Amino acid sequence: TNPQTRINYKFFRKLDPKYISLPDSIQTIPDKAFSGCSNLYSIKLPSDLKYIGKEAFACCSNLQTINIPNSVKIIGDGAFKSTKLSNIIIPDSVEYIGSLAFSNSALTSITISNSSNLITIGTSAFSNTKIASFYIPSKISYLSENLFYNSKLESMTIPATIKSIGDYCFNGCENLTNVKILKGVEYIGAYAFGAYASRSGVNTITFDGTQSEWNQIEKDPNYGSSYLKTIKCNDGNISL
């Protein structure tokens, strides 16, 4: 018998405990398993966990402490949205972070190592968070739409492995005034570096290539905002 069949998640949601320790035999946490457990403060995840389901901990409005084991491959859509998690370490085993995974959380710090196996990060995964910096691991080739929308990013280097920057990716990041882009990007989407409402946006992009190479990148006509004034290239500046 699969030990997971003996876990009554509806019971947990009704009980709404402050702390939960899940048995190590569990490899999957189902979708919405603990969603809305507003008293839940901390949870110990199984050591051989592989999958964290969609909205598994969504709207656990007091959840502050969780350690993701280095066995998890998938963090589902909205898994930790609207929680009080402020610091998270993404282990090297994780290959997929779903859309809205940490959106609207209290996240200020996220740690990803340079040996990460992360391949995909879904849309809006870190939108409306307070993260100030983010390391993009080498297996990521696409920055999805709204990925850092309205976050507190202060610095960003986009590596040469990134081919595409999605619509609204850095929109509304009022603390992000300068972005460095290494040569490799082929497409920049609509309002990717735009401003939102009264918030200012990126005003300088430093591009590690020539003006000609910058001009060859396919860009939506509205990839920036009125705040974006200068593209600094290796052979001079482009004024916008």
Side-chain angles (χ1 to χ4, degrees), residues 187-237:
Y187 177 77
I188 302 174
Y191 304 103
F193 299 104
Y196 172 72
S198 60
R199 301 180 184 94
S200 61
V202 173
N203 58 49
T204 304
I205 291 175
T206 301
F207 176 63
D208 188 28
T210 64
Q211 295 179 58
S212 175
E213 287 168 332
W214 172 260
N215 290 330
Q216 288 171 21
I217 296 172
E218 184 182 354
K219 306 177 226 25
D220 184 278
N222 296 310
Y223 71 92
S225 73
S226 60
Y227 293 95
L228 183 57
K229 302 294 186 185
T230 308
I231 311 296
K232 293 184 176 179
C233 301
N234 292 340
D235 59 348
N237 296 346

Side-chain angles (χ1 to χ4, degrees), residues 13 49 62 67-68 70 100 103 105 132 158-159 180 203 210:
R13 286 199 298 273
L49 187 66
N62 279 301
N67 291 315
I68 299 173
N70 192 25
L100 297 164
S103 179
S105 69
I158 298 174
K180 184 172 184 179
N203 58 49
T210 64

Side-chain angles (χ1 to χ4, degrees), residues 5-143:
T5 60
R6 296 199 292 266
I7 299 290
N8 186 335
Y9 291 97
K10 287 184 179 179
F11 169 77
F12 275 120
R13 286 199 298 273
K14 188 174 181 180
L15 186 65
D16 196 5
K18 290 186 177 181
Y19 174 76
I20 297 171
S21 179
L22 293 175
D24 286 339
S25 55
I26 290 177
Q27 294 192 348
T28 296
I29 296 177
D31 297 350
K32 299 188 176 182
F34 300 98
S35 178
C37 287
S38 58
N39 283 325
L40 187 61
Y41 175 87
S42 178
I43 184 165
K44 180 183 178 294
L45 297 179
S47 59
D48 198 31
L49 187 66
K50 299 288 193 293
Y51 175 84
I52 299 173
K54 296 176 182 178
E55 299 186 14
F57 299 96
C59 302
C60 292
S61 53
N62 279 301
L63 181 61
Q64 297 184 36
T65 306
I66 198 162
N67 291 315
I68 299 173
N70 192 25
S71 55
V72 171
K73 291 185 178 297
I74 294 173
I75 298 173
D77 297 350
F80 297 102
K81 73 177 183 181
S82 301
T83 64
K84 280 190 178 175
L85 288 175
S86 59
N87 301 286
I88 199 82
I89 297 172
I90 303 295
D92 289 350
S93 59
V94 174
E95 298 174 357
Y96 177 90
I97 295 176
S99 299
L100 297 164
F102 295 92
S103 179
N104 293 294
S105 69
L107 205 61
T108 59
S109 171
I110 181 162
T111 303
I112 300 176
S113 85
N114 58 11
S115 54
S116 171
N117 286 296
L118 191 57
I119 298 170
T120 301
I121 306 175
T123 58
S124 306
F126 303 107
S127 62
N128 295 302
T129 63
K130 297 177 181 177
I131 57 170
S133 63
F134 186 88
Y135 169 74
I136 300 172
S138 61
K139 293 186 178 181
I140 298 283
S141 62
Y142 170 68
L143 298 180

